[in-house]
Amino acid sequence: MPNIVWKDRKRTIFGLPWSFTKYSLSDDRLFISTGFLSTKEDEVRLYRIMDISLNRTLGQRMFGLGTIKCCSVDKTLGDFEIKNIKKSKDVKEMLSEMVEEERNRKKVTSREFIDHDDGEFDDGHDLPVHLKGNAVAEIACSNGRHSFVPPSNL
């Protein structure tokens, strides 16, 4: 069982935890569990999270809640939200620091997205990128947009 450093539930009306969505964060993974009779548990490795942002509507601010949006390169989960959680600003900062620590520990560097207007470099081929050690990642090219794909063997 992983060492859980944070956990919470999705909050509903008046900030009460009356939902069946649970979030938990370990040293290297974020878990999202949903459902009551039929359950589903997703997880994303922290080094696969590329960007984190915090949204707080007026209603959320009134009840001390917020929603963290995570952009990830995880194939099954993709981009996701950690919705209506307490102390969202603190959780976002903790998650951001843990993502950076995990990327440093795994020696993953990010080239994230490189935009260019014309498609002269978009030949549809993935380019290998050699990281520290023997790890190899890819730069995926699609529609004039390049994205960094971390190695799956880390």
Side-chain angles (χ1 to χ4, degrees), residues 32-147:
I32 302 173
S33 176
T34 57
F36 176 63
L37 296 176
S38 176
T39 62
K40 177 182 175 186
E41 185 173 293
D42 286 312
E43 73 174 63
V44 62
R45 301 249 174 216
L46 294 182
Y47 75 89
R48 293 184 153 289
I49 297 175
M50 303 299 283
D51 190 37
I52 302 170
S53 62
L54 174 64
N55 296 323
R56 297 181 73 204
T57 65
L58 176 61
Q60 286 177 321
R61 288 194 321 250
M62 287 172 55
F63 295 106
L65 306 175
T67 297
I68 299 171
K69 180 173 169 53
C70 297
C71 299
S72 81
V73 293
D74 187 80
K75 291 185 181 184
T76 57
L77 197 53
D79 296 347
F80 60 93
E81 291 181 334
I82 304 171
K83 296 180 183 180
N84 296 333
I85 57 168
K86 288 273 191 193
K87 300 181 181 179
S88 55
K89 192 170 186 177
D90 294 337
V91 173
K92 177 192 164 280
E93 288 304 315
M94 178 176 58
L95 180 60
S96 182
E97 289 173 13
M98 291 179 73
V99 165
E100 286 305 311
E101 287 172 11
E102 191 65 12
R103 288 171 139 205
N104 289 335
R105 191 175 76 75
K106 294 275 191 185
K107 297 179 174 65
V108 175
T109 59
S110 173
R111 302 278 189 288
E112 293 191 34
F113 297 104
I114 305 168
D115 279 331
H116 53 82
D117 292 333
D118 55 23
E120 74 180 78
F121 298 111
D122 187 13
D123 59 359
H125 294 89
D126 294 343
L127 309 172
V129 176
H130 298 279
L131 305 173
K132 295 177 184 175
N134 293 328
V136 177
E138 292 181 348
I139 300 289
C141 302
S142 175
N143 297 328
R145 198 167 172 102
H146 295 73
S147 61

